[in-house]
Amino acid sequence: MQRNGGGAGAGGQPWLLRRVRLTWLSFMLFFILVFFPLIAHYYLTTIDEAGGPEKHIFGPRPGGELCEAKHVQDLCRIRESVSEELLQLEAKRQELNGEISRLNMRIEACKRSIDSAKQDLLQLKNVISQTEHSYKELMAQNQPKLSLPVRLLPDKEDPGLPPPKSARSCRLRSCFDYARCPLTSGFPVYVYDTASYPWADFIDPLVKQAFAASVKSNIYITDNPSIACLYLVLVGELQESSPPPPPSELEKQLKALPYWRSDGHNHVLVHFSRKSMTQNFLYNVSTGRAAVAQSTFLEQQYREGFDLVVSPLVHALSEPNFLEVPPQVPVKRKYLFTFQGERVESLRSSLQEGPPQTFEEEMEGDPPADYDDRIIGTLKAVQDSHLDQVLVEFTCKNPRPSLPTEWALCGEREDRLEVLKVSTFGLVIAPGDGQLVASAGCGMRLFEALEVGTIPVVLGDHSRLPYHQLIRWSEAAIIVPKPRVTELHFLLRSLSDNDMLAMRRQGRFLWETYFSTSENVLNTLLACIRTSIQVPAAPIKEEPAHEIPHKAGKLAGTDANLADNGDLDLGPVETEPPYASPRFLRNFTYTASETYRAWNRAPGPFHLFPHTPLDPVLPSEAKFLGSGTGFRPIGGGTGGSGKEFQAALGGNVPREQFTVVMLTYEREEVLMNSLERLNGLPYLNKVVVVWNSPKPPSDDLLWPDIGLPIVKNSLNNRFLPWDVVETEAILSIDDDAHLRHDEIMFGFRVWREARDRIVGFPGRYHAWDVNHQSWLYNSNYSCELSMVLTGAAFFHKYYAYLYSYVMPQAIRDMVDEYINCEDIAMNFLVSHITRKPPIKVTSRWTFRCPGCPQALSHDDSHFHEQVHQLLRQSVRLHAAAVHTVRVDSVLFKTRLPHDKTKCFKFI
């Protein structure tokens, strides 16, 4: 225990010493840190006071003395500059605050003005809306929108007609029941079954077959006799070996027809003639109120304005070979005129006795058969004079059977056509018997002359030519009375080339339209009756479009290069959704007022046929291609020139759009780019893509969305009248055509001022090469143009119908064979119809996109030969096209090369 306690006391002494040391060390540190600075401060202060005021070392100095130091002078200057700037900024801040206050006050005032203006604008909008509504109501009352009227059909029971004085005095007003043919009935026609006739076995089989085939293709034929407006009965032509039935027996058979209704009103007895010698077995038959349509009539038999003189049925079951039709140019041929025939003696003239009559006495009565001797003598004298080459033959080796007093045809038809092909004029001498007002022989001569482009010269003004009630034969033939035969040579030599070419063209149109085929003959017969009773024609045929399944892609953008129109204003851009052209603009007045003009002119600006070229009614009163009416008269519109023209839509139609029909062939990337370039194009209604390839588009192909419908069709031609085209204007364009929006708009405005023409961009030139005796086709840059290619051109939709259904099939077959030249055929067709040239717009020469793959028809190996062949056939049928008119806008600011400045003389 002592050890432990002693240990503890010995161990506690060092711990105490360490504590004393720490306390001392802390005291010393405190003294140094506190008292030493105080002592140093006191010492320094004492030094400054002992040295005097001039020797202050550590004390403060006055402000001026501080700036005397060189190293701080710059800082002083900066301080003064900053002070001045701060003062200026402060002044500006105060000024801006004041301006902000004033502007805030103005903003508040403007807001109050805007609110007031909004109220006024809303009131004005209400007033304008009410005014527009009132205007539309007034327009609807004064000018209602025309539409297809409700179809009215005849009653089953006839109301009964007052009997005429005699069957010979029948006219439409007295013998035709108009109640069965309302204006909106559609003109239904019922045809009796030929096999049910008692006389059916005696009818020529070719005539029966041709008639049956024509009936099947006619749109007016109905199987329901209770609603029929007209009833057709085929009564001939009879076979040569079959004698005609007795008149009394034939009358009984006619009255036994189920819908004859005692007097045969609204019936037409049709007698088609294939031979020059036809049996007029209806002469002594009482037909009641039934009309007669045949090629041969006696004067006492023919009822003017009721019966019809029809053309002979030459091509019964076959179409004429259009490839062998001689060309219409040159105008003058080898012979000035020709005639081949042999006179058939009349029984009446052979029994006639008495002293010879003078010339005046002969003309007072019916000229006897021997009067034709004077014609023979005159024509032989002209031939012997050798002033012109003339071929006249009055004897035949093999004369065809003909009626008495008529001039018989000589030889075979092929031999007669060969003579007419080298004749400028062809004589048609009327029968010597004045009572024979129409004969199948004269009709046959007239048909053959028109077929080969020979101008008919009819000697005998008493003759009734086919459909003379509606056709102005004076525009296609020369009709002179027989007493003027002595002046005939002078008359024919006095005609100018232009007049002869115009008559030849008109004759070709009449032959192609009304006489060439059995179908045309039947259609002409029905059209003549329908026009006489003033029933509008049926709508023309439209081609249904079969859409290809496709996938819609992303929204298409606008090509900056195409959207940049420079200084050219696109005019009033449409903001409304696509709308179709009005289907009806004219009513019944158009049907009544344009009858003769429609029958005697090719389908043109005012002469368009709505169903077939045989229906002489403008499409304005019928459903026009499912899209609109026919051509509207140009002029008097809202267009103008210069700034006014390019700022307005042009034409006299306030609202109108166009449809793009784009042809493509296995070039998907090029097609997609072309469709995207159409995005934002003003007045575009829709785009129809004609996929002209047997291969369908790729399944993964994404079609661009341009904000408009894109209809895809396959395996069809670009010129078919598609039912999806609802506008009158069509922009036909190839998928590789590269056009700016301003160029398309300019072309559209020009087309609206010339709706009956082709208005396009690429031009071509063709002419006859005298040295090589062939057609020259120039596709290079040329100042002289004759056609506009349809690879980028506007045209009326009606021309698509004419191209597909009216133009001779031979031309379309050549286009299908060559897979080319459809634009040449379209140019000749339109120029033939309108007698007007196409119009080329803009001065650019190249419209193909750079780098695009070659087109389907890009094969130069046989290109020139194909073009030559098609030009040759087109000139045969349509004569030569006329030179192109060029229209350019001064706002395009075209820079013409030096070598093309001569082009200005054509503008």
Side-chain angles (χ1 to χ4, degrees):
M1 295 295 292
Q2 289 178 356
R3 229 175 247 185
N4 294 339
Q13 187 176 1
W15 176 82
L16 181 60
L17 290 176
R18 286 194 297 273
R19 184 174 185 182
V20 171
R21 290 176 184 174
L22 291 172
T23 304
W24 184 80
L25 181 60
S26 301
F27 177 77
M28 290 300 294
L29 290 173
F30 175 78
F31 178 78
I32 292 171
L33 293 174
V34 175
F35 289 99
F36 183 76
L38 295 176
I39 295 171
H41 180 269
Y42 174 76
Y43 176 74
L44 292 175
T45 304
T46 304
I47 292 176
D48 289 339
E49 291 177 357
E54 293 86 4
K55 295 184 178 180
H56 288 180
I57 297 176
F58 299 101
R61 296 184 181 185
E65 295 179 0
L66 182 62
C67 292
E68 292 177 0
K70 294 181 179 180
H71 59 279
V72 295
Q73 290 180 357
D74 294 338
L75 296 175
C76 293
R77 285 195 298 271
I78 292 173
R79 184 189 65 181
E80 293 174 357
S81 176
V82 169
S83 299
E84 292 177 359
E85 291 180 359
L86 290 175
L87 292 174
Q88 293 177 1
L89 290 175
E90 179 65 21
K92 289 183 178 180
R93 186 183 68 82
Q94 294 178 0
E95 182 179 354
L96 291 175
N97 288 335
E99 184 68 22
I100 290 173
S101 299
R102 290 190 296 271
L103 291 177
N104 287 333
M105 296 176 62
R106 294 181 60 183
I107 289 173
E108 294 298 329
C110 290
K111 287 182 178 180
R112 292 190 296 269
S113 300
I114 289 174
D115 294 337
S116 178
K118 286 182 178 179
Q119 296 295 331
D120 296 340
L121 180 60
L122 183 60
Q123 295 178 0
L124 289 176
K125 286 183 177 180
N126 294 332
V127 173
I128 292 174
S129 177
Q130 294 176 0
T131 305
E132 290 179 349
H133 183 70
S134 301
Y135 174 76
K136 291 179 180 179
E137 289 182 348
L138 292 176
M139 292 296 293
Q141 294 176 1
N142 298 329
Q143 297 180 357
K145 184 178 180 181
L146 299 181
S147 61
L148 188 64
V150 178
R151 185 182 183 186
L152 299 179
L153 298 175
D155 297 332
K156 295 182 180 180
E157 299 296 334
D158 294 325
L161 293 174
K165 296 181 179 179
S166 66
R168 299 296 182 185
S169 63
C170 264
R171 299 295 183 268
L172 285 176
R173 62 181 180 274
S174 59
C175 291
F176 192 85
D177 184 8
Y178 282 87
R180 297 201 60 84
C181 302
L183 293 175
T184 60
S185 63
F187 193 61
V189 178
Y190 178 78
V191 179
Y192 285 93
D193 184 12
T194 309
S196 62
Y197 302 165
W199 63 89
D201 296 336
F202 304 106
I203 299 179
D204 189 340
L206 288 180
V207 174
K208 288 194 295 184
Q209 295 178 22
F211 183 76
S214 302
V215 166
K216 291 181 180 179
S217 61
N218 193 282
I219 65 169
Y220 296 109
I221 304 301
T222 180
D223 296 331
N224 187 2
S226 61
I227 66 171
C229 164
L230 197 69
Y231 299 86
L232 292 186
V233 184
L234 181 64
V235 296
E237 179 176 49
L238 300 182
Q239 302 181 48
E240 295 181 358
S241 58
S242 301
S248 59
E249 182 65 23
L250 185 57
E251 291 180 10
K252 293 180 181 180
Q253 295 175 1
L254 291 176
K255 293 180 180 180
L257 293 175
Y259 308 102
W260 187 261
R261 298 186 180 91
S262 72
D263 56 3
H265 61 271
N266 292 42
H267 278 65
V268 179
L269 306 180
V270 181
H271 185 279
F272 287 142
S273 301
R274 292 185 54 248
K275 303 179 293 293
S276 58
M277 176 64 178
T278 184
Q279 301 178 13
N280 186 15
F281 62 90
L282 294 177
Y283 172 61
N284 292 321
V285 176
S286 176
T287 59
R289 296 183 180 179
V292 177
Q294 60 183 18
S295 301
T296 302
F297 280 101
L298 294 175
E299 185 175 8
Q300 59 269 28
Q301 175 191 11
Y302 180 67
R303 295 169 291 185
E304 185 72 37
F306 190 71
D307 294 330
L308 294 174
V309 179
V310 299
S311 60
L313 195 64
V314 178
H315 299 285
L317 294 177
S318 62
E319 291 188 359
N321 189 356
F322 288 97
L323 297 180
E324 297 182 358
V325 173
Q328 300 188 42
V329 289
V331 177
K332 294 181 179 180
R333 297 177 177 176
K334 178 180 178 180
Y335 297 108
L336 176 64
F337 64 84
T338 59
F339 178 80
Q340 292 177 306
E342 183 172 335
R343 185 176 57 181
V344 179
E345 294 294 339
S346 172
L347 294 176
R348 187 187 65 175
S349 62
S350 63
L351 299 176
Q352 191 174 18
E353 297 179 357
Q357 294 178 314
T358 63
F359 183 83
E360 290 77 6
E361 290 175 347
E362 290 177 355
M363 300 319 315
E364 288 178 0
D366 295 331
D370 59 0
Y371 176 75
D372 290 339
D373 293 338
R374 301 170 185 258
I375 298 178
I376 295 174
T378 303
L379 296 182
K380 284 185 175 180
V382 175
Q383 185 179 24
D384 296 338
S385 66
H386 300 290
L387 295 176
D388 294 288
Q389 282 191 289
V390 175
L391 176 63
V392 289
E393 296 178 355
F394 299 104
T395 58
C396 301
K397 296 181 180 179
N398 185 21
R400 313 305 297 175
S402 299
L403 296 175
T405 73
E406 192 177 20
W407 289 88
L409 298 173
C410 294
E412 299 297 330
R413 166 179 157 82
E414 290 74 14
D415 299 332
R416 298 194 299 270
L417 292 180
E418 290 300 323
V419 174
L420 290 174
K421 287 180 181 179
V422 294
S423 305
T424 305
F425 298 95
L427 298 187
V428 180
I429 303 178
D433 188 358
Q435 299 295 326
L436 191 60
V437 295
S439 65
C442 288
M444 197 73 69
R445 290 184 182 273
L446 182 67
F447 180 95
E448 293 176 354
L450 295 177
E451 182 177 4
V452 296
T454 302
I455 302 175
V457 179
V458 181
L459 280 176
D461 56 349
H462 63 283
S463 296
R464 300 291 190 271
L465 300 182
Y467 319 112
H468 62 91
Q469 302 97 326
L470 295 173
I471 293 180
R472 293 178 181 173
W473 281 104
S474 59
E475 297 181 356
I478 299 175
I479 305 174
V480 295
K482 287 185 177 181
R484 292 199 180 277
V485 65
T486 56
E487 302 174 281
L488 182 63
H489 186 207
F490 165 77
L491 175 63
L492 299 183
R493 295 187 64 183
S494 64
L495 295 179
S496 64
D497 291 352
N498 291 335
D499 293 338
M500 288 189 291
L501 182 58
M503 297 182 71
R504 182 172 295 168
R505 285 173 172 172
Q506 182 66 10
R508 176 64 55 80
F509 161 71
L510 296 177
W511 176 76
E512 290 181 1
T513 306
Y514 303 125
F515 312 136
S516 57
T517 64
S518 59
E519 180 180 353
N520 287 359
V521 172
L522 178 62
N523 291 342
T524 305
L525 170 64
L526 296 181
C528 187
I529 299 174
R530 182 189 51 75
T531 305
S532 300
I533 61 176
Q534 301 176 326
V535 176
I540 66 174
K541 181 180 179 181
E542 283 190 316
E543 195 70 24
H546 304 285
E547 187 170 355
I548 299 175
H550 63 281
K551 298 179 181 179
K554 63 179 180 179
L555 184 65
T558 302
D559 192 338
N561 296 327
L562 297 176
D564 184 11
N565 299 304
D567 298 333
L568 184 63
D569 181 18
L570 291 183
V573 179
E574 294 286 351
T575 58
E576 301 182 44
Y579 57 89
S581 299
R583 296 174 183 265
F584 306 94
L585 290 181
R586 298 290 294 272
N587 52 19
F588 172 75
T589 57
Y590 218 10
T591 307
S593 62
E594 301 293 337
T595 297
Y596 283 96
R597 183 183 295 182
W599 270 84
N600 295 277
R601 288 291 183 270
F606 307 101
H607 322 108
L608 302 180
F609 305 112
H611 174 66
T612 67
L614 307 169
D615 292 324
V617 180
L618 299 171
S620 303
E621 68 270 2
K623 176 185 174 186
F624 179 65
L625 294 172
S627 63
T629 62
F631 295 102
R632 286 86 176 267
I634 62 176
T638 58
S641 59
K643 176 67 176 177
E644 290 75 12
F645 178 77
Q646 64 102 16
L649 184 58
N652 60 350
V653 182
R655 301 169 68 235
E656 188 170 21
Q657 295 178 342
F658 62 91
T659 301
V660 169
V661 177
M662 182 176 294
L663 182 68
T664 185
Y665 181 82
E666 296 184 0
R667 297 188 295 185
E668 295 179 354
E669 183 179 358
V670 175
L671 174 63
M672 297 301 106
N673 294 334
S674 299
L675 292 176
E676 289 185 358
R677 286 195 296 268
L678 298 177
N679 187 33
L681 180 61
Y683 305 107
L684 179 60
N685 181 274
K686 70 176 60 170
V687 180
V688 178
V689 177
V690 181
W691 189 268
N692 201 23
S693 170
K695 299 179 181 179
S698 303
D699 296 334
D700 56 349
L701 181 62
L702 296 180
W703 296 76
D705 182 9
I706 62 175
L708 294 168
I710 301 178
V711 182
K712 275 68 71 176
N713 298 303
S714 63
L715 300 178
N716 282 300
N717 191 273
R718 73 195 312 167
F719 293 139
L720 286 174
W722 303 109
D723 56 355
V724 294
V725 178
E726 299 178 329
T727 61
E728 297 181 25
I730 292 179
L731 173 58
S732 175
I733 190 170
D734 292 337
D735 56 359
D736 58 350
H738 204 272
L739 295 173
R740 300 195 309 268
H741 287 186
D742 59 323
E743 293 173 327
I744 296 176
M745 287 305 306
F746 181 75
F748 183 48
R749 292 191 178 99
V750 174
W751 178 86
R752 284 170 54 86
E753 299 291 339
R755 310 174 70 88
D756 56 341
R757 306 194 197 187
I758 298 178
V759 177
F761 302 90
R764 294 293 185 267
Y765 175 71
H766 81 286
W768 179 254
D769 189 348
V770 180
N771 297 328
H772 298 86
Q773 292 297 303
S774 63
W775 285 101
L776 171 66
Y777 181 80
N778 184 12
S779 59
N780 298 324
Y781 304 158
S782 174
C783 297
E784 191 174 5
L785 304 173
S786 60
M787 63 181 67
V788 171
L789 302 187
T790 55
F794 285 94
F795 60 86
H796 200 285
K797 184 181 177 182
Y798 191 76
Y799 290 138
Y801 165 76
L802 295 180
Y803 182 96
S804 301
Y805 301 110
V806 177
M807 189 176 69
Q809 183 64 36
I811 299 297
R812 293 194 296 272
D813 292 340
M814 295 182 67
V815 172
D816 293 337
E817 178 183 356
Y818 299 153
I819 319 178
N820 203 347
C821 303
E822 74 281 356
D823 41 16
I824 299 177
M826 176 61 82
N827 273 266
F828 271 87
L829 173 66
V830 177
S831 296
H832 170 67
I833 290 171
T834 63
R835 300 290 185 264
K836 295 179 182 180
I839 298 178
K840 172 180 167 49
V841 292
T842 78
S843 60
R844 266 206 304 149
W845 302 96
T846 303
F847 297 91
R848 302 297 178 188
C849 62
C852 291
Q854 298 296 342
L856 172 65
S857 59
H858 189 79
D859 182 8
D860 295 335
S861 57
H862 303 288
F863 174 75
H864 294 288
E865 178 63 24
Q866 295 171 358
V867 170
H868 171 76
Q869 292 295 334
L870 188 63
L871 285 174
R872 184 169 60 89
Q873 297 303 331
S874 298
V875 171
R876 285 177 179 271
L877 298 174
H878 299 149
V882 289
H883 288 273
T884 301
V885 175
R886 179 166 160 185
V887 177
D888 288 338
S889 172
V890 295
L891 300 176
F892 275 96
K893 300 179 180 179
T894 304
R895 296 180 178 89
L896 285 178
H898 177 70
D899 59 344
K900 293 184 176 63
T901 54
K902 61 181 180 180
C903 293
F904 277 108
K905 66 181 180 179
F906 296 105
I907 299 178

